Structures are given as C-alpha cells and as structure tokens.
Amino acid sequence: MISTDLLLLVGAVLMLAGILAGKVGTRLGVPALLVFLITGMIFGSSGLGLEYSDTSKTQFLGTVALAVILFFGGFETRIGDIRPVLGPGIMLSTVGVLLTTLFFGGFLYWLGTFDFFTIHLSFPIALLLAATMSSTDSASVFGLLRARNMHLKEGLRPILELESGSNDPMAYMLTIALIQYVTGEGEGSWASIVSTFALQFSVGAGLGYLLGRVTTLFLNKINIDNAALYPITLLCAIFLTYSLTALFQGNGYLAVYIMGVVVGNNRLVHKKSIETFFDGMTWLLQIALFIVLGLFVDAKDLIPVAPFALLSGLFMIFFARPLAVHLSLSVFPRISLKGRSFLAWVGLRGAVPIIFATFPMMNNIEGANTLFNIVFFITLLSLLIQGSTLPIVAKWLGLDEEVKKKVSLFGVEIPQHTGTSMEERKVTPAMLDEGNRLMDLNLKEEELVILVRRGENYFVPKGKLEIHSGDILLIVSESSSN
C-alpha cells in the first residue's frame, strides 16, 4: 500500500515532468498533450516501472475531466461566431461522426480478413472500435493554433469549435449503443438504438439549456461575499447537470456543453475570474488525464497490434475522416475545397477515444484489451502526424492569417455583467483643437475617461488636467443595450 506522502510526491513529479516536457514539445511544434501521454508511458510499467491498471478509476477521471473540458469549450464559444456556421458544424458532429464510424469500421473489418494479421474483428466489434475513434480532440487543435498565433480564414475556427464541442456526445452515444448491441442489452435491436439516441439527444439538450439558464440566474443573484466561491459553485453546477442528465437517461456530455454555451453567452458576475479558474482547471485535468492514460497502457502491448493499428490509423487520417468531411459538407458549397480539406486534416484524436476505449473493458467484451491498445496506438499516430503538421497544412492551403494580439497598456478589464465597454484611445493633435484640458475634449455623452497614461506615468482624470498629444485615454462607455 503506497503512503499518502509517497503518492503526493509521485503525482507532483509526474505533473512537473509533464509540464516541462510539454513546454519543450510546444517549441518543437509537437502537441503538448502528446508529450503528456508519452511522459505517462515513460513512468509506466514498461518504463520506470510505476504500476497502474485501474480501469474504473481511469474512466472516472476521464468522465470528470471531459465534463469540465466540454463545459469550458462551450463557455468560450460565442453564439455570434457559431450562428453562421451552425449547419456545417452540426453536420460534421453528427453525420460526419456517423460516416467516419461506417467507413473506418468497414475498413477495420476488411483488414481483419487477411490471414497475416493476428487481429480479426467481427463487423459489430469493428464498428464499436471505429465509434470510439470517431470524435476529434479540440484541446490539442486549439492549443496549437493559439501557440502559433494563427487565425483561420473562411470562418473555419467557429466550425471547428462547434464540431469538437458537440461530436464527443455523438461518439459517446454510438459507443454505448454498439456496446448494448454487442452484449445483447436493450434487446440489441437497431430500433432500441435509435430510440436511445433520440432520448439521449432530447434530454441532454433540454436539461443542458434549462440548467444553464438556472445556473446563470443563480450565480447572478446569490451574492456571495467571497468572490473565490463563484467558480467553485459553477463547478458544482457542472457536475450536478451531468449527473441529473445521466439520471434521466440523457447525454451528460451534450448537456454540460450546451450549459457552457448558455452560461458563457450571458452576463455573469465575476466572469473574468471564473474564466481564469476554468482555464487553469481544464489544463490541470487534461495534463492529469493524459499522464494517467499514459500510465494505464503497457507499451509492450502496443507492439503486437502495431502493424494492424498503423494501417488502420493511416486509413483513418487519409481516407475515412476526409471522405466523411467532404460528403458531410457537400451541401455547403460556400466552404471551399481548401477549407474542407483543412477541416478534414483537423481530425486530431486525443483523450476522448482512449476514454471511450475503456468502456468495452468495463463491459467485459471479448478482446477489449486489444481494442484499447489499437485505439491508443492510433491516437499517438494522429497526434504525431496531424498535430505536428497542422500549422504547416494551414499555411500550405493559404488559410492562416497572422493576427497580432492586442496588448492592453493599462491591464484593466471591465466585468461583462456591468453592461459597459472599454476603449484605449490615443490623443491626436486634432482632438486638442478646442483646448488642451480634459474638459475641452469632444467626447460622447456616454463616454467617461477613467485613467490617462503619458509614457510610463498615469494620471487621475480631472476636468482641468492638461492633455498632450500622444496621451492614452482609458475610456469606459455604456453599451447600447442599457
């Protein structure tokens, strides 16, 4: 039995090693999450000998992490950005996932018919394996885009945000439905699978929206003295939403994503501190999850499945995902061929497929360990090939635009719920035509100067303060909706 002190020491060393390795990997253009996976493998049973094989705890950590990650993905999604791309995004996250499962599952079944492979899958098992691999990993994609300061043309980023946030629930439902079919639960009929889909979607979407509205109202009205408790209260609401939705047989992942969209697009007290808290929490859970998944796999078990998994992974990357994307988006001609090609390339696999691959193990499906090892191998391959080349492909297709990050000279932000906007305005000679005092400036009635910067000096704005050309005014104004 490992003592608490030793457990904390090992956990801290693993996290620090992962973070430091991730920093180096990012500079080299390698996805940080791939480095976290490899870090776990290095410390695991085939590396430094740290034994870990608890499937239920791994699945629990995956569920908790995925719930928070999906919520924060929805929280950061702006409805104004995704509204014009609702059609393509939803098509990719539903039809695209289904087509990927069918194409990839068919190939897996066909590949298993060759005698020189030791892996032979029945068609339902091949579909199950494909379903676990059918969703993309938004954390890896946007981590790379942010690291390279890239902005995608043709509105591709909102499409990717919407797809990556909503395709995990679809892949989850496909995985669960196929497990039920294989094990004979729920009568094992296609009719029961369709009804399960309808129930999961409707309950998940309905409760996600309803509890998102209730949570927003509750946070704005609760009036807690300690502002640090607001993010913790919201974290409790996330798990409450997931659990209640699952209790009513809905899709908890879909519910927390929709809840995030609702909460993130409404006025919210202490929104900046909440965003900062969940940004850090998301990274913590991602790092912990990927390291644990790396520990969970035995690297020696990847060798026997390597030939089968390598060919399967290459088919997924170069054929199954691109074909599914192009067919799904064929009804949206405004997305160019280059745009569709880039969306096809951003089929990055990550933690979600590995988590879903533990479900067959928990349900004692024959050959589940082999399925898990195949999924893990393909995930490594996807992160290495697609993750490392994502910026290169964007530039090659001419879809990237460098956008300089706007740096605040004051380091001041206004909470969104106040209904005000803030602007940093540089004083020009023309602005001083009617006088060089602050009270002489021709400002709008709703505008108020709250601070003046001159070089490295700051001045409290008073009416008689002399203003110089080149000064920076920090101006707050009421929004038009107030």
Side-chain angles (χ1 to χ4, degrees):
M1 186 69 178
I2 300 177
S3 67
T4 302
D5 294 340
L6 183 58
L7 185 63
L8 287 174
L9 175 62
V10 172
V13 170
L14 279 170
M15 293 289 285
L16 286 172
I19 292 170
L20 292 175
K23 182 179 177 64
V24 175
T26 301
R27 288 182 176 178
L28 298 175
V30 178
L33 299 183
L34 171 61
V35 179
F36 299 146
L37 267 181
I38 295 175
T39 301
M41 294 175 67
I42 291 173
F43 280 85
S45 56
S46 295
L48 299 180
L50 187 60
E51 295 284 346
Y52 175 79
S53 59
D54 195 318
T55 305
S56 60
K57 288 181 180 177
T58 302
Q59 194 177 94
F60 174 76
L61 174 61
T63 300
V64 170
L66 190 55
V68 175
I69 291 168
L70 284 175
F71 167 82
F72 191 56
F75 187 87
E76 287 194 308
T77 300
R78 302 278 72 86
I79 290 181
D81 294 334
I82 67 171
R83 187 178 288 116
V85 297
L86 274 176
I90 293 176
M91 186 65 76
L92 284 175
S93 63
T94 53
V95 177
V97 169
L98 182 60
L99 289 177
T100 300
T101 300
L102 292 175
F103 296 150
F104 190 41
F107 180 81
L108 290 168
Y109 173 71
W110 174 78
L111 197 63
T113 60
F114 291 94
D115 293 335
F116 51 82
F117 286 118
T118 57
I119 298 171
H120 307 285
L121 306 175
S122 66
F123 188 62
I125 294 296
L127 283 179
L128 173 59
L129 176 56
T132 64
M133 297 291 301
S134 58
S135 65
T136 58
D137 188 86
S138 59
S140 297
V141 173
F142 294 116
L144 278 175
L145 293 178
R146 284 193 293 267
R148 297 300 181 94
N149 194 27
M150 293 173 58
H151 176 76
L152 298 173
K153 299 177 183 178
E154 299 187 20
L156 296 180
R157 181 163 183 146
I159 297 177
L160 289 170
E161 286 181 345
L162 181 58
E163 182 207 4
S164 61
S166 55
N167 67 3
D168 290 341
M170 180 68 177
Y172 170 81
M173 286 184 281
L174 274 175
T175 301
I176 296 301
L178 285 165
I179 287 176
Q180 290 176 350
Y181 182 82
V182 169
T183 57
E185 296 180 9
E187 301 178 1
S189 67
W190 293 109
S192 68
I193 290 176
V194 172
S195 64
T196 300
F197 263 73
L199 181 64
Q200 290 245 324
F201 263 115
S202 57
V203 174
L207 283 180
Y209 178 80
L210 176 63
L211 293 175
R213 299 287 294 183
V214 170
T215 299
T216 303
L217 181 64
F218 180 75
L219 288 172
N220 287 334
K221 297 292 185 181
I222 192 173
N223 193 23
I224 305 175
D225 292 333
N226 187 352
L229 294 178
Y230 280 89
I232 298 174
T233 304
L234 182 53
L235 184 64
C236 294
I238 294 169
F239 296 136
L240 180 67
T241 299
Y242 178 89
S243 303
L244 280 178
T245 304
L247 186 65
F248 287 100
Q249 299 184 7
N251 188 283
Y253 295 125
L254 180 63
V256 294
Y257 175 73
I258 292 178
M259 175 197 179
V261 174
V262 173
V263 174
N265 284 274
N266 278 282
R267 292 180 182 175
L268 196 66
V269 295
H270 304 293
K271 191 167 190 176
K272 181 60 180 177
S273 60
I274 288 173
E275 186 175 1
T276 302
F277 172 86
F278 277 98
D279 191 16
M281 176 64 69
T282 299
W283 270 108
L284 173 64
L285 289 172
Q286 285 176 7
I287 295 171
L289 177 59
F290 272 73
I291 290 177
V292 167
L293 290 174
L295 287 172
F296 185 75
V297 72
D298 190 337
K300 294 192 300 289
D301 293 338
L302 299 180
I303 298 174
V305 304
F308 186 92
L310 178 62
L311 288 176
S312 301
L314 293 176
F315 181 84
M316 163 71 85
I317 294 170
F318 291 102
F319 294 98
R321 163 74 179 183
L323 189 56
V325 169
H326 283 286
L327 286 176
S328 300
L329 298 181
S330 60
V331 294
F332 302 99
R334 65 182 180 83
I335 302 177
S336 68
L337 178 61
K338 287 184 176 181
R340 294 198 299 271
S341 298
F342 183 75
L343 291 172
W345 190 249
V346 192
L348 206 58
R349 269 56 196 172
V352 175
I354 303 176
I355 296 168
F356 289 170
T358 63
F359 293 171
M361 300 173 72
M362 294 292 292
N363 285 271
N364 298 316
I365 291 177
E366 186 178 354
N369 288 331
T370 299
L371 299 183
F372 179 87
N373 291 326
I374 293 173
V375 170
F376 196 95
F377 188 99
I378 295 175
T379 298
L380 288 176
L381 189 69
S382 174
L383 286 170
L384 182 62
I385 295 178
Q386 293 168 293
S388 300
T389 60
L390 191 63
I392 298 173
V393 172
K395 290 180 180 179
W396 179 62
L397 293 172
L399 294 172
D400 68 318
E401 288 180 331
E402 292 250 350
V403 177
K404 292 183 178 180
K405 187 176 180 182
K406 188 176 181 181
V407 180
S408 172
L409 297 173
F410 292 86
V412 178
E413 294 189 21
I414 297 291
Q416 187 180 21
H417 72 276
T418 61
T420 58
S421 59
M422 190 167 58
E423 175 190 354
E424 296 176 13
R425 188 179 303 170
K426 187 174 183 179
V427 177
T428 63
M431 294 172 62
L432 304 176
D433 288 344
E434 297 181 11
N436 64 346
R437 295 179 300 176
L438 182 61
M439 60 189 298
D440 298 324
L441 298 183
N442 186 19
L443 299 174
K444 296 179 182 178
E445 184 178 349
E446 66 271 16
E447 292 181 337
L448 176 67
V449 179
I450 61 173
L451 202 59
V452 178
R453 172 169 174 159
R454 183 177 303 147
E456 296 300 323
N457 298 315
Y458 296 86
F459 302 93
V460 176
K462 298 179 181 178
K464 295 182 179 180
L465 176 67
E466 289 190 3
I467 302 298
H468 300 172
S469 177
D471 287 353
I472 308 295
L473 309 180
L474 184 62
I475 300 175
V476 174
S477 59
E478 295 181 356
S479 62
S480 57
S481 60
N482 278 6

